[in-house]
Amino acid sequence: MSKAGSISSGNKSQGSSGSGVPRNSPPIPRNRFQKSGNQAVYEVKETEDTVIYRVDLPGCPASDLQYWVDGNNVHFFADEPAMSEYDHDGRKYGGTMVFNPVAYDVTGAKAKLRDGVLWITVPKVPGVNIKLTVVEKMLNCKITRDDVV
């Protein structure tokens, strides 16, 4: 699924670190109402001690966030509530990030959802200098919470 030193998630054309669009990929809509800042659905930043993911999950309350660590993986799910008065069923969000255990202490991963933005922070292993690479894959399958619980 991913190479050593990599993280896997999202759509290559949506992430801030992607350099190309997969073949046969539909066009990625941008938020025409956003006036400034990165328009990618997620961003990845490295600091000296951590790697930080910022993922947009609009409308999702913090109380609905579920995340867990499984081996080298960090999984997350959150649902936007349905709003029957607007005939809106609510969006479902979820993903998996795969980390190289030599470079990242996945057991120390923390996630918080605040104002519709998910922040996932994973500490680096001290003294290990592996360049972060992001590997993104599009899968043609629908995974639900029932599939992983």
Side-chain angles (χ1 to χ4, degrees):
M1 186 167 190
S2 75
K3 298 184 251 179
S6 66
I7 300 172
S8 174
S9 71
N11 178 333
K12 184 172 253 181
S13 58
Q14 290 178 338
S16 62
S17 60
S19 60
V21 177
R23 285 186 212 182
N24 304 324
S25 177
I28 303 301
R30 297 294 180 199
N31 184 345
R32 295 174 197 230
F33 301 104
Q34 181 179 335
K35 299 301 178 195
S36 67
N38 187 333
Q39 290 201 358
V41 175
Y42 73 90
E43 296 178 76
V44 182
K45 295 191 179 192
E46 281 189 277
T47 68
E48 189 174 313
D49 303 326
T50 61
V51 62
I52 303 166
Y53 261 83
R54 180 193 187 278
V55 183
D56 292 339
L57 306 177
C60 295
S63 60
D64 192 57
L65 175 65
Q66 294 181 18
Y67 82 96
W68 66 98
V69 173
D70 175 29
N72 305 333
N73 307 320
V74 177
H75 308 278
F76 69 91
F77 280 107
D79 295 340
E80 176 188 30
M83 298 176 69
S84 59
E85 66 268 26
Y86 297 110
D87 194 26
H88 179 66
D89 292 334
R91 296 175 180 168
K92 312 283 185 228
Y93 298 92
T96 298
M97 297 159 194
V98 181
F99 292 87
N100 179 347
V102 172
Y104 301 97
D105 178 14
V106 182
T107 61
K110 303 251 188 281
K112 72 178 176 180
L113 183 58
R114 181 175 168 194
D115 297 330
V117 177
L118 174 63
W119 298 91
I120 296 178
T121 306
V122 179
K124 292 181 179 178
V125 173
V128 177
N129 291 323
I130 294 178
K131 175 142 174 59
L132 173 70
T133 57
V134 177
V135 177
E136 301 157 334
K137 297 181 185 242
M138 292 182 8
L139 301 175
N140 289 327
C141 64
K142 182 177 180 180
I143 299 174
T144 65
R145 288 187 178 153
D146 296 333
D147 295 329
V148 295
V149 176

